[in-house]
């Protein structure tokens, strides 16, 4: 007996929905399928059984080979029925069962008979099924019938043949391409769907020939397309031709066609044309105006789908041309109360992007009533738009900050509250006048905050910004309340924040020490340990004295080593009389997952593919180099590069090189592998030509005595360079060796050998080789603590680029520094971006870089480069690298 399903709509509480398929089992349905073999067929019952089989297949049930074959043979007997409804179900089940090649033959004759039937419904469906189950051999036999079907007078038959051609183009393109004349004729059909499908197929046939597509678009834009669906397709193809054309400067040949489509009688064509115009590369305000006008008319349409389409398109336009959308603001304000919440949200975010300073207060009043009616996911979008608006109009921070603080007190989920807190934090950092009020709003929020993560983040932020305010003491009460009223995690964070106030504000020390002493008796050991550490380190005698700078750095300074490196070093540390030295932890960040793909059978050459763990790699290189007498007096190893391949895959000899950088030297470690079993290489060395590297002078080399088959080995070449200078250059490499034949049966090499050489790829030493990737946990703090003494700022033009993301990636790779706080990721469609980089230059000099990018309509990218470092010469060197690249 069928059971009721879950009700779909709340307004139908008194009605129950029943599913005829609930609880059906495959075995029972397969038993029912025996009805197909009855002498007297019952069309209605057979259709019900096929429906159940289709339901099982669409729900993911799979039939075994035997079960599928049995069902297929039973279904073929149903061709004798003349019932139209049952015949349609037969076509469907044959398509879904996808019979094998030997089974297809059984139904081919029946389907071909139907394809030539006088009943149009039979013909159309038979074409669909045949093209779905047939292979290339059978397709050539029915190709003549398919060509005839394409130009058939019945639009259902013609559309079936054209859609089948679109599917067949993926598997048998050569056959379908021979139908071009018939498809071209079908494009002129008066039937809307036939013209639509014919145009889609014709474009796919010619899609790899740019000139042919351009000619197709040119011929059809003269007014021969009547179908609105086909017209929409033509607009898309026209936009594609415009994008791919490299000579679209000044007047656009097809822009007049797009503009004329704005006056079409079909709404779908008008919208498609407007959207195409707004998405043109380098579109001007003059070109945008007619498209914006029709979209503005759609905003007041009675159809929700048109209002949604229009406001979404205008929302995208507002990202790049906000002034062009301002004429629509009045119409969009009326959409704030739209019943469709998606439309209302898009309207508000668009208004926030296009509004002027005088309209901010009015918008805030309208949004306040709106926020309580929408879900959290829409609220987050609005909050992010308000943040952008506040950064655009800093003088309006009071009303916008008050709005954010009010919605912060309302009910909401974690992601929503986190978005508000993040927005307030960004506004505090970027608008100095908003700091005091913003911090107080955050303090009030943590009084009732139910999310531990947000409480700890706000306490940490208070510890950074609070001591810098005019009256830091007013925040102490809020912080100390957390010690009494929260869980252990928040209490520990509050203790650290109190200690920061004590360290940064000497006048508050006595009061802070009293509060910290009370924390010693806390029930949680982490809280007690933190309180004890801070009391002992800051001097718990309560005297008002200035905290030592080294103590501040030790307690609250940035850890300038990656945590993963520290963790690995601590695990490898063996307890002994010698204490653990934090300076021994490698500072370089190793990107472990990005490993070059090797060809099958190609072995890693020596230390060219060292273990993944960062410290073990550095340690292995350092131990190897220090064990070689020629390099033992070079000093401490600064950095080792990733292996650079000097040979292609599957060559006779596999060679890659690792660049080891010292203060005054660079050592090239060539990792070699002999991939020929019948050869033994002896006295292996690399002859390096440094004629294109003026700053480098050859010092010494260490050849490899023997290189048997498939056994990695290393040979080294050392160069001297000026101390503390970022020297760059290009090196030509030649592998030189003595080759001896090896007897395969005995494995012994011949005594006499032949000298031979093997040309390797060129090697470059670049500026990034002298920079270590070292991240900082809080870039803003590190930037401010570095000071402006050695700051160097300049602007550069990077020329035309494919995208802003490409420009950001190119500069990061050029400098070889570590991106901070996820700023290497550029938002889609962004016109500007700020990237933060940190690193340690040769000589262990800390360097911080702030990159500000902007891209124009012509794809030209401009960049403002700000560098702060402990050495003025390093800042000058980085600017020189960028200017010369």
């Amino acid at each position: 007996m069928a059971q009721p399903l879950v009700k779909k709509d709340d307004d139908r509480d008194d009605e129950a929905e029943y599913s005829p398929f609930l609880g059906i089992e495959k075995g029972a349905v397969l038993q029912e399928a025996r009805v197909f073999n009855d002498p007297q067929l019952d069309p209605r019952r057979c259709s019900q059984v096929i429906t159940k089989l289709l339901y099982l297949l669409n729900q993911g049930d799979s039939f075994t080979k035997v079960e599928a074959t049995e069902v297929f043979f039973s279904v073929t007997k149903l061709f004798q029925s003349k019932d139209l409804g049952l015949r349609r179900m037969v076509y469907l089940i044959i398509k879904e069962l996808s019979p094998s090649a030997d089974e297809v033959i059984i139904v081919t004759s029946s389907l071909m008979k139907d394809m030539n039937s006088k009943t149009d419904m039979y013909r159309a469906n038979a074409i669909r099924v045949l093209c779905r189950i047939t292979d290339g051999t059978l397709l050539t036999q029915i190709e003549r019938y398919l060509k005839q079907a394409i130009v058939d007078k019945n639009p259902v038959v013609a559309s079936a043949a054209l859609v089948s051609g679109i599917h067949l183009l993926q598997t048998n393109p050569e056959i379908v391409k021979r139908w071009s004349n018939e498809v071209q004729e079908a494009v002129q059909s008066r039937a809307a769907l036939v013209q639509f499908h014919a145009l889609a197929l014709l474009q796919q046939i010619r899609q790899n020939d740019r000139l042919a597509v351009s000619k197709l678009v040119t011929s059809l834009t003269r007014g021969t397309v009547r179908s609105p669906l086909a017209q929409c397709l033509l607009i898309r193809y026209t936009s594609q031709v415009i994008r791919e054309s490299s000579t679209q400067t000044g007047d656009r040949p097809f822009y007049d066609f797009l503009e004329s489509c704005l006056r079409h009688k079909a709404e779908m064509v008008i919208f498609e044309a407007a959207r195409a115009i707004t998405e043109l590369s380098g579109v001007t305000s003059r070109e945008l105006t007619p498209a914006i006008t029709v979209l503005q008319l759609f905003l007041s349409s009675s159809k929700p789908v048109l209002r949604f389409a229009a406001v979404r398109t205008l929302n995208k336009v507002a990202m790049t041309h906000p002034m062009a959308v301002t004429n629509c603001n009045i119409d969009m304000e009326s959409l704030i109360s739209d019943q469709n919440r998606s439309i209302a949200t898009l309207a508000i975010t668009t208004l926030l992007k296009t509004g002027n300073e005088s309209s901010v207060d009015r918008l805030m009043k309208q949004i306040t009533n709106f926020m309580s009616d929408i879900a959290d996911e829409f609220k987050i979008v609005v909050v992010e738009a308000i943040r952008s608006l506040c950064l655009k109009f800093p003088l309006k921070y009071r009303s916008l900050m008050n709005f954010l603080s009010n919605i912060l007190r309302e009910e909401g989920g974690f992601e929503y509250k986190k978005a508000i807190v993040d927005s307030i934090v960004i506004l505090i950092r970027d608008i100095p006048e908003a700091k005091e009020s913003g911090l107080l709003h955050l303090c009030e929020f943590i009084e009732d905050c139910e999310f531990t993560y947000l409480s700890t983040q706000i306490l940490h932020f208070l510890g950074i910004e609070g001591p810098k305010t005019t009256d830091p003491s007013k925040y102490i009460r809020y912080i100390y309340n957390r010690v009494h009223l929260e869980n252990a995690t928040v209490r520990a964070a509050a203790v650290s924040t109190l200690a920061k106030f004590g360290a940064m504000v000497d006048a508050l020390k006595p009061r802070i020490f009293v509060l910290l002493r009370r924390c010693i008796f806390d029930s949680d050991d982490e809280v007690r340990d933190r309180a004890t550490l801070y009391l002992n380190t800051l001097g718990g005698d309560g005297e008002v004295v200035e905290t030592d700078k080294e103590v501040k750095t030790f307690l609250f300074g940035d850890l300038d080593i990656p945590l993963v490196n520290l963790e690995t070093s601590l695990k490898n540390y063996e307890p002994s009389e010698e204490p653990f030295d934090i300076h021994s932890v490698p500072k370089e960040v190793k990107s472990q997952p990005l490993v070059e793909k090797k060809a099958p059978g190609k072995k890693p050459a020596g230390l060219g593919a060292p273990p993944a763990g960062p410290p073990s790699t550095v340690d292995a290189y350092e131990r190897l180099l220090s064990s070689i007498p020629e390099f033992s007096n070079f000093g401490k190893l600064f950095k080792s590069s990733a292996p650079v391949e000097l040979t292609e895959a599957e060559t006779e000899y596999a060679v890659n090189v690792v660049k080891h950088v010292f203060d005054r030297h660079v050592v090239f470690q060539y990792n070699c592998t002999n991939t020929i079993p019948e050869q033994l290489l002896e006295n292996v060395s690399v002859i390096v030509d440094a004629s294109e590297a003026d700053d480098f002078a050859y010092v010494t080399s260490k050849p490899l005595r023997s290189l048997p088959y498939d056994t990695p080995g290393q040979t080294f070449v050392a160069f001297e360079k000026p101390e503390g200078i970022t020297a760059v250059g290009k090196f030509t490499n030649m592998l030189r060796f003595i080759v001896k034949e090896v007897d395969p049966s005995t494995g012994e090499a011949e005594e006499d050998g032949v000298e031979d050489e093997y040309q390797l790829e060129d090697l470059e030493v670049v500026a990034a080789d002298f920079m270590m990737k070292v991240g900082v946990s809080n870039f803003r703090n590190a930037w401010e603590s570095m000071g402006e003494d050695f700051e160097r700022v300049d602007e550069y033009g990077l020329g035309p680029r494919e995208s802003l993301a490409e420009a950001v990636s190119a500069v990061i790779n050029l400098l070889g520094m570590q991106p901070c706080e996820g700023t290497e990721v550029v938002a889609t469609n962004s016109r500007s971006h700020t990237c933060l980089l940190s690193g340690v230059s040769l000589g262990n000099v800390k360097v911080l870089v702030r990159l500000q990018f902007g891209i124009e309509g012509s794809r030209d990218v401009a960049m403002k480069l700000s560098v702060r470092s402990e050495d003025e010469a390093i800042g000058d060197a980085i600017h020189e690298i960028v200017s010369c690249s």
Side-chain angles (χ1 to χ4, degrees):
M1 179 178 176
Q3 299 178 13
L5 282 174
V6 178
K7 292 189 285 270
K8 292 182 180 177
D9 302 302
D10 293 337
D11 57 350
R12 300 175 64 184
D13 291 339
D14 53 343
E15 296 183 24
E17 298 284 347
Y18 292 92
S19 168
F21 305 114
L22 191 65
I24 66 172
E25 296 180 356
K26 184 175 74 170
V29 177
L30 291 174
Q31 288 291 330
E32 288 185 62
R34 294 181 179 180
V35 72
F36 301 156
N37 300 317
D38 289 351
Q40 298 295 325
L41 290 174
D42 183 349
R44 186 170 181 274
R45 191 179 173 198
C46 290
S47 295
Q48 289 176 346
V49 175
I50 292 177
T51 303
K52 291 180 181 179
L53 289 168
L54 290 169
Y55 173 79
L56 289 172
L57 288 169
N58 280 287
Q59 290 299 308
D61 283 324
S62 58
F63 292 174
T64 64
K65 177 68 175 173
V66 175
E67 291 170 345
T69 303
E70 288 181 358
V71 171
F72 173 72
F73 279 109
S74 301
V75 166
T76 57
K77 298 177 182 179
L78 300 180
F79 273 104
Q80 60 188 309
S81 173
K82 301 299 181 184
D83 186 87
L84 289 176
L86 178 58
R87 181 63 62 91
R88 294 178 69 183
M89 299 301 292
V90 170
Y91 293 135
L92 282 175
I93 192 68
I94 290 175
K95 280 173 64 179
E96 290 298 323
L97 286 173
S98 299
S100 58
D102 51 344
E103 296 169 346
V104 168
I105 301 171
I106 297 168
V107 291
T108 300
S109 58
S110 298
L111 291 171
M112 290 184 70
K113 181 181 176 183
D114 284 354
M115 197 166 68
N116 296 297
S117 170
K118 293 181 180 179
T119 308
D120 290 331
M121 192 276 292
Y122 285 2
R123 294 168 61 202
N125 283 298
I127 289 170
R128 293 178 188 273
V129 177
L130 264 175
C131 293
R132 174 73 177 269
I133 65 175
T134 191
D135 58 7
T137 307
L138 183 60
L139 189 62
T140 55
Q141 299 177 22
I142 63 171
E143 183 181 3
R144 178 168 59 90
Y145 299 107
L146 293 174
K147 284 184 176 182
Q148 291 174 355
I150 289 173
V151 294
D152 196 275
K153 293 180 180 179
N154 188 293
V156 177
V157 176
S159 277
L162 290 165
V163 172
S164 298
I166 292 172
H167 291 302
L168 288 171
L169 197 62
Q170 310 301 320
T171 53
N172 297 278
E174 296 304 321
I175 293 177
V176 178
K177 287 177 180 177
R178 295 201 292 259
W179 306 350
S180 290
N181 292 336
E182 288 77 11
V183 177
Q184 186 80 50
E185 185 178 340
V187 170
Q188 309 303 323
S189 172
R190 292 182 176 274
L193 270 181
V194 174
Q195 193 173 48
F196 170 62
H197 290 139
L199 179 56
L201 178 56
L202 192 59
Q203 191 273 340
Q204 288 193 30
I205 290 174
R206 301 180 178 182
Q207 63 182 347
N208 294 324
D209 187 345
R210 186 182 295 181
L211 182 60
V213 173
S214 181
K215 286 181 178 179
L216 172 66
V217 168
T218 303
S219 64
L220 294 178
T221 51
R222 293 169 185 164
T224 57
V225 178
R226 302 179 188 88
S227 162
L229 287 169
Q231 190 83 351
C232 289
L233 264 187
L234 181 58
I235 290 170
R236 294 189 180 185
Y237 299 152
T238 304
S239 300
Q240 180 183 337
V241 170
I242 294 175
R243 279 196 305 272
E244 292 176 352
S245 176
S246 57
T247 59
Q248 295 304 321
T249 54
D251 295 335
R252 304 176 196 270
F254 295 108
Y255 175 78
D256 292 339
F257 166 72
L258 294 179
E259 191 176 13
S260 67
C261 291
L262 296 175
R263 297 181 289 276
H264 199 277
K265 59 184 178 181
E267 291 169 335
M268 70 168 79
V269 176
I270 297 172
F271 171 71
E272 192 68 38
R275 189 168 69 94
I277 290 173
T278 61
E279 292 178 354
L280 288 175
S281 177
V283 63
T284 63
S285 298
R286 184 186 65 81
E287 292 170 331
L288 271 177
T289 302
I292 300 294
T293 303
V294 298
L295 291 173
Q296 186 175 3
L297 293 174
F298 282 171
L299 291 176
S300 55
S301 169
S302 59
K303 300 176 182 178
V305 67
L306 282 179
R307 298 200 302 273
F308 176 78
V311 75
R312 187 175 67 168
T313 305
L314 289 171
N315 187 278
K316 291 180 180 177
V317 175
M319 295 179 184
T320 52
H321 298 81
M323 296 306 297
V325 187
T326 51
N327 293 334
C328 307
N329 283 3
I330 296 174
D331 298 278
M332 280 190 285
E333 284 188 29
S334 64
L335 294 180
I336 293 178
S337 56
D338 196 284
Q339 291 180 346
N340 188 309
R341 297 290 85 183
S342 298
I343 295 175
T345 305
L346 283 167
I348 282 180
T349 53
T350 309
L351 284 168
L352 291 173
K353 292 172 186 172
T354 59
N356 52 38
E357 199 162 358
S358 60
S359 65
V360 170
D361 294 327
R362 187 178 75 254
L363 274 176
M364 289 299 103
K365 289 178 183 177
Q366 291 178 294
I367 294 173
T368 303
N369 301 325
F370 164 80
M371 291 293 280
S372 58
D373 299 331
I374 60 174
D376 279 4
E377 57 184 316
F378 294 126
K379 290 179 181 177
I380 292 172
V381 176
V382 175
V383 167
E384 290 173 349
I386 289 172
R387 179 178 69 201
S388 301
L389 184 68
C390 192
L391 295 175
K392 185 178 178 183
F393 303 118
L395 295 177
K396 288 292 182 181
Y397 77 89
R398 291 186 188 278
S399 57
L400 295 171
M401 188 74 83
N402 288 334
F403 174 81
L404 291 174
S405 67
N406 289 334
I407 61 176
L408 192 57
R409 298 190 192 99
E410 297 172 359
E411 292 296 322
F414 170 74
E415 293 296 336
Y416 173 46
K417 293 296 179 74
K418 184 176 182 294
I420 300 172
V421 170
D422 289 345
S423 297
I424 293 175
V425 167
I426 290 172
L427 297 182
I428 291 172
R429 286 178 174 171
D430 291 356
I431 305 174
E433 296 82 3
K435 180 181 289 188
E436 301 263 346
S437 59
L439 290 177
L440 282 175
H441 289 318
L442 293 177
C443 286
E444 291 169 3
F445 170 61
I446 60 175
E447 291 286 325
D448 300 311
C449 180
E450 57 184 315
F451 304 108
T452 299
Y453 175 83
L454 293 181
S455 294
T456 54
Q457 292 296 98
I458 291 172
L459 286 168
H460 174 72
F461 185 67
L462 273 173
I464 296 170
E465 299 293 340
K468 302 174 185 176
T469 58
T470 54
D471 184 13
S473 61
K474 61 185 177 185
Y475 305 109
I476 301 299
R477 173 173 62 87
Y478 297 101
I479 300 168
Y480 187 64
N481 282 347
R482 310 279 61 77
V483 177
H484 287 291
L485 304 174
E486 296 285 359
N487 58 46
T489 304
V490 179
R491 295 203 306 272
V495 168
S496 295
T497 304
L498 286 172
K500 286 181 182 177
F501 273 78
M504 306 299 289
V505 186
D506 296 323
L508 292 177
K509 259 190 182 180
R511 296 162 60 184
I512 296 294
F513 287 152
V514 171
L515 300 178
L516 288 177
R517 287 194 189 97
R518 294 178 185 175
C519 299
I520 294 175
F521 304 102
D522 194 275
S523 59
D524 185 75
D525 56 352
E526 173 74 14
V527 178
R528 295 195 303 271
D529 289 349
R530 288 196 186 195
T532 305
L533 171 67
Y534 295 137
L535 281 169
N536 291 336
T537 312
L538 296 174
D541 51 8
E543 294 182 7
V544 182
V545 293
E546 185 177 353
T547 306
D548 188 65
K549 185 177 180 180
E550 290 186 2
V551 173
K552 291 181 184 178
T553 305
F554 170 69
L555 290 178
F556 312 115
D558 290 320
L559 188 66
D560 60 352
I561 55 175
L563 288 177
V564 63
N565 294 11
L566 178 61
E567 181 186 4
T568 309
S569 297
L570 288 170
K571 285 179 179 178
N572 296 336
Y573 172 68
E574 296 179 2
S576 62
E577 294 181 0
E578 185 178 348
F580 177 78
D581 183 9
I582 197 168
H583 297 293
S584 66
V585 181
K587 294 182 178 181
E588 187 174 6
V589 177
K590 294 287 183 179
S591 52
Q592 300 176 32
L594 300 176
V595 180
E596 289 186 15
K597 292 182 179 179
K598 304 288 183 181
K602 188 170 181 178
K603 304 289 183 181
L607 285 170
S616 58
T617 304
V618 176
D619 292 344
Y621 285 141
E622 197 152 19
R623 285 196 301 270
L624 176 68
L625 293 169
S626 62
S627 66
I628 301 173
E630 292 89 336
F631 311 141
S632 58
N633 62 343
F634 284 1
K636 184 172 177 58
L637 176 63
F638 172 70
K639 177 185 176 181
S640 297
S641 73
V644 179
E645 296 293 338
L646 299 182
T647 56
E648 295 182 358
E650 302 298 333
T651 53
E652 300 96 319
Y653 312 109
V655 181
N656 64 43
V657 62
V658 178
K659 295 172 275 188
H660 302 294
V661 178
F662 295 84
D663 192 30
R664 296 183 57 189
H665 298 83
V666 173
V667 176
F668 298 142
Q669 173 187 327
Y670 296 91
N671 303 305
C672 310
T673 303
N674 173 17
T675 62
I676 304 177
E678 298 82 12
Q679 288 186 358
L680 169 68
L681 307 185
E682 291 185 349
N683 198 21
V684 181
S685 62
V686 176
I687 308 303
V688 182
D689 179 5
S691 57
E692 295 183 51
D694 298 335
D695 292 330
F696 293 85
Y698 172 78
V699 177
T700 184
S701 61
K702 187 178 187 302
L704 178 62
R705 184 176 299 174
S706 175
L707 187 64
Y709 164 68
D710 206 23
T711 303
Q714 298 90 33
T715 177
F716 300 84
V717 180
F719 285 86
E720 188 176 12
K721 68 173 193 65
E723 184 174 0
I725 287 185
T726 304
V728 297
K730 187 175 182 181
F731 299 83
T732 305
N733 304 283
M734 178 75 74
L735 185 68
R736 183 173 292 175
F737 49 84
I738 296 173
V739 59
K740 295 183 176 181
E741 297 294 328
V742 176
D743 188 343
S745 57
T746 62
E748 294 182 358
E750 297 179 357
E751 291 186 5
D752 297 329
V754 179
E755 285 193 9
D756 200 356
E757 292 180 345
Y758 187 83
Q759 185 65 51
L760 304 176
E761 298 285 341
D762 291 347
L763 169 67
E764 284 190 278
V765 173
V766 294
D769 292 325
F770 300 92
M771 183 72 70
M772 270 203 302
K773 293 183 177 181
V774 179
V776 293
S777 56
N778 188 317
F779 187 89
R780 183 184 178 87
N781 276 4
W783 181 265
E784 291 179 354
S785 63
M786 188 80 74
E788 301 179 4
D789 296 341
F790 296 135
E791 181 176 7
R792 170 87 189 278
V793 182
D794 208 342
E795 295 182 356
Y796 301 93
L798 303 184
R801 298 278 177 169
E802 284 295 320
S803 65
L804 204 58
E806 184 209 337
V808 172
S809 177
V811 177
I812 291 175
N813 293 334
L814 175 67
L815 298 180
M817 300 179 71
Q818 177 68 24
C820 300
E821 302 175 7
T823 53
E824 72 275 18
V825 180
V826 182
T828 310
N829 297 324
S830 179
R831 311 292 296 178
S832 61
H833 183 71
T834 299
C835 183
L836 311 175
L837 306 176
S838 70
V840 173
S841 182
L842 188 63
N844 288 319
V845 179
K846 293 181 182 178
V847 187
L848 299 175
V849 170
R850 177 179 283 161
L851 304 167
Q852 293 170 286
F853 295 87
I855 188 168
E856 300 173 354
S858 58
R859 295 288 175 185
D860 284 333
V861 177
M863 180 185 73
K864 182 179 179 181
L865 169 63
S866 306
V867 183
R868 288 188 182 183
S869 72
E870 297 171 340
D871 184 347
E872 188 176 10
I874 299 298
D876 295 338
I878 289 178
H879 276 274
E880 186 178 351
I881 292 167
V882 174
S883 62
C884 295
S885 62

